[in-house]
Amino acid sequence: MDELPPSSRPSGRWSARPKRLVTRWLYGLALAPVLTSIIETGGRPKSPREWFTEMVVGLLIAALVRQVRKEHLAVLELSRSDALTGLGNRRAFTDALEDECARVRRSFKPLALIYIDLDHFKQVNDRDGHEKGDLVLRQLAAAIGDVVRTRIDGGFRVGGDEFVVILPGSTAAAAEAVLARIRQHCVGQGGAWGCAPLAISGGVAEFDGHEPADAFIRRADAAMYLRK
């Protein structure tokens, strides 16, 4: 089973999408030509034709600004996304974890982190080629997307074969269960996953409510290395 299932797409609250602002104010630009005319001439357009012309120009301005903003957000989204897997990249992960740690400091709710590394991934690349290696990475990303809670949890690719999962509201015990389900999903893909020595090493840490985000990451990373 070497093909990535079409339904298995990385998802979660912390995808690569940047935060978006409300854009209703853009439609106010439609009035800009009218207001400019009032300022310059001291009066409103006098005929229906003048009103129509001013409003059409205003709508065109609003449409152009909206398109430019849309393209800017698309570029920003790409800068926070991992091209191979569709998960958020390291930059997106860092921002997301900072936000979640700040939220926990206010709410005192649990927060767990899973740090994942593929064991002997280089051997897969050397034995089967980089195309097979890329498939393995996409399958792991898809497994993460299938397991995490949509719009609550989030998965990220932070290195070549290193992945991180943020689990807001989850304890370390709950995170261990999520890690086990990710492993099960991967093994179910068959292919390279059924051939030793490819395996997943995962470390789990629960936020203590006070530590800096980078210290939290180091604890999860250290827990992962202890299991190798």
Side-chain angles (χ1 to χ4, degrees):
M1 197 167 139
D2 286 342
E3 295 300 324
L4 191 64
S7 61
S8 300
R9 296 183 181 180
S11 60
R13 173 184 176 187
W14 295 110
S15 66
R17 295 183 181 88
K19 296 178 181 177
R20 305 198 175 205
L21 301 176
V22 176
T23 58
R24 296 190 188 97
W25 62 269
L26 285 174
Y27 299 105
L29 290 175
L31 298 175
V34 175
L35 296 175
T36 301
S37 178
I38 292 174
I39 293 171
E40 291 178 349
T41 66
R44 295 173 297 176
K46 294 181 175 58
S47 67
R49 182 174 181 176
E50 289 179 350
W51 274 105
F52 178 77
T53 301
E54 298 288 5
M55 292 303 295
V56 168
V57 171
L59 288 172
L60 287 174
I61 292 173
L64 287 172
V65 172
R66 187 174 186 275
Q67 182 61 30
V68 169
R69 186 175 183 278
K70 182 179 179 181
E71 292 174 0
H72 169 72
L73 287 173
V75 171
L76 181 59
E77 184 171 337
L78 286 174
S79 73
R80 297 166 58 84
S81 175
D82 174 61
L84 178 65
T85 65
L87 295 177
N89 59 17
R90 180 175 287 276
R91 175 183 175 185
F93 163 64
T94 300
D95 291 346
L97 188 63
E98 289 284 358
D99 287 347
E100 281 302 323
C101 288
R103 192 189 309 273
V104 170
R105 293 185 188 103
R106 297 190 302 268
S107 67
F108 305 104
K109 294 181 179 179
L111 171 65
L113 195 63
I114 303 175
Y115 206 105
I116 293 173
D117 183 72
L118 287 176
D119 296 335
H120 311 294
F121 176 69
K122 185 177 182 299
Q123 293 185 34
V124 174
N125 276 330
D126 293 343
R127 182 187 65 202
D128 301 324
H130 288 281
E131 185 176 344
K132 177 70 73 173
D134 287 349
L135 177 62
V136 165
L137 296 175
R138 291 197 301 270
Q139 288 174 330
L140 173 53
I144 292 172
D146 284 345
V147 168
V148 300
R149 298 166 295 178
T150 303
R151 303 189 66 81
I152 298 176
D153 306 327
F156 306 84
R157 183 187 178 200
V158 296
D161 59 345
E162 295 181 350
F163 294 74
V164 182
V165 182
I166 298 177
L167 300 170
S170 294
T171 62
E176 292 285 2
V178 170
L179 177 59
R181 292 202 299 273
I182 291 173
R183 284 197 179 99
Q184 290 171 359
H185 276 244
C186 288
V187 171
Q189 297 289 342
W193 292 101
C195 304
L198 182 66
I200 289 176
S201 287
V204 168
E206 186 173 338
F207 189 57
D208 70 3
H210 304 286
E211 64 189 327
D214 57 351
F216 185 26
I217 296 170
R218 286 196 298 271
R219 286 202 297 114
D221 189 25
M224 181 268 293
Y225 275 104
L226 285 175
R227 297 184 178 183
K228 277 189 172 293

